[in-house]
Amino acid sequence: MDARFNLFENEIASRFAKRFAGAALVLHDSPLPKSVQELVSLRASQINGCGHCVDMHVKEAAAAGESDVRLHLVSVWRETTVFTEAERAALALAEEGTRLADAHQGVSDETWALVRKHYDDDRTAALVCLIGMINAANRLAVITHQKGGSYEAGTFAAVVAQK
């Protein structure tokens, strides 16, 4: 499958991407732990079938020191012992916030209570916004058939630094 469209070669898409990257930088610089940011982004990307974003977040997480075991087990996190209670709450929110069409009530009260037990207002805000952002990024990449496999860790930080 070849990419359908290069978003970076189109003026409108490029202008949008700059603003999107700026919003993502706000989240990157938030107090939400980087490991949680990468795990949540990876899980949503897996659910959405976004090879480009799975590739990116696996490599960024690994470069930041995340273990291979945890990265391999993100897709089955409920059936593991390697994630903290706080990480499990964030992964549950990521799944429920990504699979909105699968449940008529969206995010459950139980999941929300777990998130609020572990994350203060700023971390909760960052987590909610992150889930929205990664779902948007997944959709952009899937619609245009962006392939996974060629991402190099640090590329996003380098692009954002140029903005």
Side-chain angles (χ1 to χ4, degrees):
M1 167 176 49
D2 291 329
R4 290 178 170 156
F5 191 76
N6 187 332
L7 290 171
F8 300 102
E9 291 179 355
N10 176 274
E11 181 185 346
I12 291 171
S14 181
R15 288 175 35 216
F16 175 82
K18 287 179 185 177
R19 285 158 181 81
F20 194 85
L25 184 60
V26 170
L27 302 176
H28 183 268
D29 293 342
S30 77
L32 185 65
K34 303 299 180 252
S35 60
V36 172
Q37 292 184 38
E38 293 301 339
L39 294 172
V40 162
S41 295
L42 175 57
R43 186 63 191 124
S45 299
Q46 290 170 334
I47 292 166
N48 288 323
C50 183
H52 175 76
C53 294
V54 167
D55 184 35
M56 174 182 181
H57 294 292
V58 163
K59 290 174 180 174
E60 290 291 351
E66 190 60 71
S67 75
D68 287 345
V69 169
R70 284 168 45 97
L71 291 174
H72 290 299
L73 293 174
V74 168
S75 66
V76 292
W77 63 269
R78 283 185 179 85
E79 307 302 324
T80 71
T81 60
V82 299
F83 299 103
T84 67
E85 190 175 312
E87 290 167 338
R88 295 169 75 77
L91 288 165
L93 185 65
E95 285 191 1
E96 291 178 25
T98 297
R99 292 184 163 140
L100 293 175
D102 295 347
H104 74 282
Q105 295 178 338
V107 174
S108 70
D109 290 339
E110 294 80 13
T111 295
W112 187 253
L114 284 173
V115 167
R116 295 305 289 162
K117 175 182 174 184
H118 294 285
Y119 298 100
D120 63 16
D121 287 352
D122 287 347
R123 287 171 181 80
T124 298
L127 184 56
V128 169
C129 293
L130 175 65
I131 293 166
M133 290 286 297
I134 191 59
N135 275 280
N138 292 161
R139 280 149 179 79
L140 292 169
V142 169
I143 289 167
T144 60
H145 283 184
Q146 302 304 305
K147 296 179 183 180
S150 63
Y151 182 84
E152 294 183 27
T155 300
F156 175 77
V159 169
V160 170
Q162 295 174 2
K163 306 294 180 221

